[in-house]
Amino acid sequence: MKKEISTRNRVVFLGIIMTILFLMLTARLTYIQVIMGRTYAKKAVEQRLIPISISRIRGDILDRNGIPLTKGKQKSYFIVFPSFYDDLKALYQIIGSMTGLSYNDFSATFKKSHPYVKLEILNPNLELEKDIEKGTYPGLMIMRQNERYDNSSIARHLIGYLKRSDNTPQSGLEKAFDKYLNSKGEEIVYAIADAKNRVLPGLAYKRQRLYEPYYNVQLTLDYYFQEILEKAMDKYSERSGGVIVDVDTADILAVASRPNFDQNNIEESTNKKDSLWAVPMKSFAPGSLFKTVVAATGLEKGLISRDTEYSCSGEITVNGAIYRCHPSIGGLGDLNMQQAFAYSCNDAFIDLAIQVGGQSIIEMAQKLGIGQSLNIGLDNDKGSLPSKSEYAGAGIGNLALGQGKVEVSPLQVAQMMTIIANGGIRKDISLIKGIIDQSGQMVKDMSKEQRGWQVLDPSTAYELRSWMADVTEYGTATNANSDYVGGTAGKTGTPQINGDTDAEYYGWFAGFFPRPNPEYVIVILVRQETNGGDKPAKIFKEVAEGITHYIENLEQP
């Protein structure tokens, strides 16, 4: 009897255990099928997806009107899945002519890639492309994307570039504003494949954008002003730099540098001398352009006026150092200071520098933005001004003529000219307007409040403007004058350069137009054998006329 009870208990216990296990299994299956069904189904599908990166997602750098400076032309590509094509010759007959590749090069790409091959379409065939996009050719798809840079990209030295292998920023605004531009995401197309990694015909491709929030950076640059500047520089010079500034707002409208470089082929560009230099950000000897600072100092101190007389004998000696002026004609003879400025008389301005003293000239230069980096949102040279020991004695001659330890950047010269054009009021030149989100809203306004402050007496600024008008009217830069733009004004510089095997002298021209009421400042530096009144002045004129023509067309109804 006891044995029967014991057996019955064991059966009941076993039944309970089996029931519990069955219920647990049922619950688990219910959890997997009902609750986690979609998740596991999604994972199963994802295991059969082949990801194809179309492009890295990154914010754009825009001009002041919202025109992208980092959106090149659209390119088209074949995406080929080799598992569909055992006979590459047959595939080559279909698309080979569109790739521009020889059969050997075509077939070689398939040996290197798996599970897909990406080939650029160089010779479009619209009818064939339509058929491919309809799915007529399984295992073959077309992908279209915009390149970030192409051969029409402008402002390249300012924009900088990304490393092609991993999309990391290497220079320029791309690097300086990477925290805003970089979304750390990409656009991906998924092709659906079977267990053997073969793309399944007849199934749609899945396109997906994976990114974190990112932003666009808007500049003060104007796309069309930039084009005008670059075309003029390309016409006259292989090594140069240029800046355009709006006088009223102090906004930088264009910045260009030559030689240019290929943002998609940096290895080739590094073989070209100075091709990666952003010349307007660098500093160089200004030569006689610096006489503008000396003249401003003399006028502010009341030591000279336009009618102050001077006799140029062709040379002046300072502590045993001889400085010459137009020695081929024995000097400029009798002239007043306004004429001395127009003809860039060395004797007169060395004599003036001795009168006003080196320290006063240095202080004036600093007021005008020289000898300090400018806060434009991008690194730029601070240049250099000589110490007291360097401008003492004979060194005052080098200071007066913008040589020796004197170095300025085109950006600093643009700042100085903007002050003079604004009647002595300093408004700091600027480059960045702000950060914009994907809806077009400004999320960080970086534009500067341009109230300005007086750094030159208005009478000094207007006097300098008059002197600069004579420079283009009859002086050293008649090549820069243009009645079409309302007249021009400015100053030349032709510094002697040491250490450059391509040129012994550089050429500067910096000025503004129209003459009566300046609206635009233009600074040109040519780093080739020239003088300020030649190539730089011609580039200035061409840019000024290009801007005027462009604005006239905008104003037409």
Side-chain angles (χ1 to χ4, degrees):
M1 187 70 176
K2 290 183 179 179
K3 185 176 182 180
E4 289 179 2
I5 294 172
S6 177
T7 301
R8 191 184 314 117
N9 289 341
R10 283 198 296 270
V11 171
V12 171
F13 178 75
L14 184 61
I16 292 171
I17 294 298
M18 293 296 293
T19 301
I20 292 172
L21 290 174
F22 177 77
L23 290 174
M24 290 176 63
L25 179 61
T26 302
R28 181 61 179 170
L29 289 173
T30 301
Y31 175 77
I32 291 172
Q33 291 184 357
V34 178
I35 299 176
M36 296 298 293
R38 290 186 179 181
T39 301
Y40 288 132
K42 183 179 178 183
K43 288 184 177 181
V45 172
E46 287 176 348
Q47 287 175 352
R48 299 199 307 270
L49 296 180
I50 300 175
I52 304 166
S53 177
I54 293 179
S55 61
R56 297 295 182 112
I57 298 173
R58 188 173 177 84
D60 282 314
I61 299 172
L62 313 173
D63 88 334
R64 62 176 178 171
N65 298 310
I67 299 175
L69 302 175
T70 48
K71 187 169 287 183
K73 297 174 183 176
Q74 187 183 75
K75 287 189 176 182
S76 299
Y77 299 89
F78 288 121
I79 301 297
V80 186
F81 298 93
S83 59
F84 276 85
Y85 297 97
D86 296 327
D87 186 357
L88 288 182
K89 288 186 178 180
L91 176 63
Y92 185 74
Q93 287 179 349
I94 299 172
I95 66 170
S97 62
M98 296 175 66
T99 66
L101 297 173
S102 67
Y103 177 72
N104 288 338
D105 290 338
F106 183 84
S107 60
T109 60
F110 285 82
K111 296 175 182 178
K112 299 176 182 177
S113 302
H114 185 79
Y116 67 89
V117 175
K118 182 178 177 181
L119 299 169
E120 184 178 354
I121 299 175
L122 299 177
N123 305 308
N125 181 329
L126 297 181
E127 291 300 319
L128 180 57
E129 289 179 41
K130 287 180 182 178
D131 288 341
I132 293 170
E133 288 174 336
K134 289 177 182 177
T136 305
Y137 298 91
L140 184 60
M141 64 180 284
I142 291 178
M143 180 179 76
R144 307 187 194 279
Q145 68 183 68
N146 285 94
E147 295 291 297
R148 191 162 182 86
Y149 319 119
D150 62 22
N151 56 10
S152 66
S153 296
I154 61 175
R156 299 182 192 183
H157 294 83
L158 193 65
I159 299 301
Y161 65 96
L162 304 175
K163 191 175 180 180
R164 287 183 70 82
S165 61
D166 59 10
N167 222 43
T168 56
Q170 302 297 301
S171 69
L173 293 164
E174 294 277 30
K175 185 175 182 180
F177 288 86
D178 185 57
K179 68 178 180 179
Y180 298 107
L181 296 167
N182 189 0
S183 74
K184 300 179 181 178
E186 58 187 331
E187 189 167 7
I188 296 174
V189 167
Y190 292 98
I192 303 175
D194 63 15
K196 294 184 178 180
N197 223 20
R198 296 175 300 190
V199 175
L200 300 177
L203 294 180
Y205 299 103
K206 179 182 177 183
R207 194 171 183 136
Q208 186 175 6
R209 289 169 66 89
L210 306 171
Y211 61 89
E212 296 176 11
Y214 65 98
Y215 304 91
N216 295 329
V217 177
Q218 187 168 31
L219 310 180
T220 61
L221 241 59
D222 186 289
Y223 185 95
Y224 298 103
F225 280 57
Q226 184 74 28
E227 275 195 326
I228 290 166
L229 176 60
E230 293 194 18
K231 286 179 180 178
M233 287 168 56
D234 286 336
K235 180 177 178 179
Y236 289 100
S237 173
E238 295 175 357
R239 298 177 70 211
S240 55
V243 183
I244 304 174
V245 176
D246 183 299
V247 170
D248 182 49
T249 64
D251 287 344
I252 298 172
L253 302 179
V255 179
S257 188
R258 291 296 184 270
N260 217 347
F261 73 101
D262 185 346
Q263 291 161 298
N264 292 320
N265 191 349
I266 299 303
E267 293 75 15
E268 178 185 281
S269 300
T270 54
N271 295 325
K272 297 178 182 177
K273 187 173 183 179
D274 300 341
S275 65
L276 299 180
W277 272 28
V279 170
M281 312 293 180
K282 302 293 182 181
S283 55
F284 308 89
S288 292
L289 188 59
F290 199 75
K291 289 172 183 170
T292 307
V293 179
V294 181
T297 310
L299 288 167
E300 289 279 273
K301 287 183 171 294
L303 294 178
I304 56 169
S305 69
R306 69 176 63 189
D307 298 321
T308 300
E309 296 181 352
Y310 190 82
S311 182
C312 173
S313 63
E315 67 176 47
I316 184 171
T317 302
V318 183
N319 280 30
I322 299 174
Y323 296 90
R324 292 183 170 81
C325 179
H326 296 80
S328 61
I329 58 173
L332 293 170
D334 295 333
L335 68 174
N336 61 35
M337 284 304 294
Q338 185 164 355
Q339 293 168 330
F341 188 85
Y343 290 121
S344 201
C345 176
N346 290 344
D347 287 15
F349 280 89
I350 291 174
D351 186 71
L352 177 58
I354 293 171
Q355 292 182 60
V356 299
Q359 185 58 36
S360 295
I361 295 171
I362 298 297
E363 290 171 359
M364 176 59 70
Q366 291 169 336
K367 282 184 183 180
L368 297 176
I370 295 171
Q372 56 205 264
S373 296
L374 302 179
N375 182 21
I376 63 168
L378 203 58
D379 289 344
N380 56 93
D381 282 0
K382 68 176 184 178
S384 66
L385 291 167
S387 64
K388 185 173 182 179
S389 62
E390 290 167 332
Y391 63 70
I396 195 71
N398 279 333
L399 178 61
L401 304 184
Q403 295 277 179
K405 297 293 183 178
V406 183
E407 288 191 343
V408 302
S409 71
L411 283 175
Q412 292 170 342
V413 175
Q415 177 70 81
M416 176 177 73
M417 288 294 169
T418 302
I419 292 170
I420 295 169
N422 262 318
I425 296 173
R426 176 165 177 169
K427 298 178 181 179
D428 286 339
I429 62 175
S430 59
L431 177 65
I432 313 298
K433 286 189 72 172
I435 308 301
I436 298 176
D437 66 17
Q438 291 307 293
S439 69
Q441 296 298 310
M442 181 79 73
V443 296
K444 186 174 183 179
D445 189 346
M446 300 176 70
S447 57
K448 297 178 180 178
E449 291 186 16
Q450 294 290 15
R451 297 177 182 175
W453 66 99
Q454 202 82 37
V455 295
L456 280 180
D457 189 283
S459 63
T460 298
Y462 288 114
E463 188 70 7
L464 286 172
R465 282 166 52 171
S466 174
W467 292 18
M468 290 180 183
D470 283 6
V471 172
T472 60
E473 190 69 34
Y474 65 82
T476 57
T478 55
N479 282 327
N481 202 18
S482 172
D483 293 334
Y484 173 59
V485 305
T488 64
K491 183 69 184 79
T492 56
T494 309
Q496 187 171 5
I497 303 298
N498 296 317
D500 190 333
T501 57
D502 294 334
E504 186 179 352
Y505 291 91
Y506 288 172
W508 289 84
F509 184 77
F512 41 80
F513 76 97
R515 187 179 294 166
N517 298 296
E519 295 179 18
Y520 302 104
V521 162
I522 305 172
V523 178
I524 304 295
L525 167 63
V526 173
R527 299 171 56 243
Q528 290 175 270
E529 199 65 47
T530 187
N531 63 71
D534 187 16
K535 289 181 179 179
K538 291 175 180 176
I539 294 172
F540 176 97
K541 179 180 179 180
E542 186 136 335
V543 173
E545 291 184 342
I547 291 172
T548 302
H549 178 70
Y550 169 68
I551 292 172
E552 285 179 348
N553 287 340
L554 285 179
E555 293 173 348
Q556 289 180 359

